[in-house]
Amino acid sequence: ARALFRMYASSLNLEMHSIPLDIPDHDDLTIDVAIYRGSEKNVLIHMSGTHGVEGFAGSAVQSSILGGEKRKFWQSAMKFTERGSKSNNNKPTVVFVHSLNPYGFAKLRRWNENNVDLNRNFLNTQQFIQRLALDANRHGYVDFYDLFHPPAALGWMDPFL
């Protein structure tokens, strides 16, 4: 999926960026970004793989846009601006983010390498600071911590003791 995305984006001469992830034992995971520069005021972002396992569907959409029937649109848009007859200022900038969660994509998981669901667990800086200030046991979770996280694996008889 990544090779196809890169091939289509580079064949259209889109601006390409590859962000490698530093995860032990997983040295070939990247977030790839392709950018069609247009207006700075109008930006469209298309992301795939926020939930890693769903990356296949999003990647297929991106491949269809960049390499399928819509390829003619991109080719004409690129030629139109290369000729200099008009600038890109009235066209949106389009950013394709391929595999926002490459670990989840590679492992067929919804969560990233830290067990975070990127679509559900996002906090901005202010929200994060507010959460840190809250009582950690406000819902009673700390009271049950040992039950949820036993120090060792339970044997088959342990529930009956």
Side-chain angles (χ1 to χ4, degrees):
R2 178 176 58 188
L4 195 60
F5 174 81
R6 287 177 175 176
M7 180 186 73
Y8 285 146
S10 64
S11 71
L12 291 169
N13 295 318
L14 299 182
E15 181 181 326
M16 296 286 298
H17 302 274
S18 189
I19 305 163
L21 270 62
D22 186 19
I23 302 173
D25 300 325
H26 297 89
D27 59 349
D28 194 29
L29 298 178
T30 60
I31 299 170
D32 293 299
V33 180
I35 303 171
Y36 171 77
R37 294 276 177 195
S39 167
E40 292 181 6
K41 293 179 182 179
N42 299 309
V43 178
L44 171 69
I45 300 174
H46 185 278
M47 292 186 289
S48 69
T50 301
H51 292 146
V53 71
E54 297 167 1
F56 295 100
S59 177
V61 169
Q62 290 174 334
S63 292
S64 176
I65 291 170
L66 296 174
E69 287 298 314
K70 301 295 181 196
R71 183 173 181 77
K72 294 174 187 173
F73 164 79
W74 291 104
Q75 289 171 328
S76 66
M78 300 299 264
K79 286 179 186 173
F80 189 68
T81 55
E82 283 174 7
R83 278 188 259 132
S85 57
K86 286 197 176 181
S87 71
N88 277 358
N89 290 338
N90 57 352
K91 296 179 182 179
T93 291
V94 182
V95 180
F96 294 96
V97 181
H98 185 265
S99 189
L100 185 62
N101 177 7
Y103 180 86
F105 201 166
K107 297 295 184 181
L108 304 177
R109 293 172 36 102
R110 178 183 183 111
W111 306 272
N112 71 3
E113 64 278 8
N114 296 312
N115 277 336
V116 174
D117 180 336
L118 300 179
N119 200 41
R120 305 277 187 271
N121 297 92
F122 176 80
L123 298 176
N124 64 32
T125 304
Q126 182 180 0
Q127 291 170 324
F128 184 71
I129 291 169
Q130 289 171 345
R131 291 286 167 91
L132 287 176
L134 294 174
D135 175 17
N137 199 32
R138 68 188 176 282
H139 299 296
Y141 177 81
V142 175
D143 294 338
F144 292 95
Y145 182 84
D146 291 335
L147 179 65
F148 296 142
H149 302 280
L154 298 175
W156 69 274
M157 285 294 290
D158 287 336
F160 302 108
L161 299 177

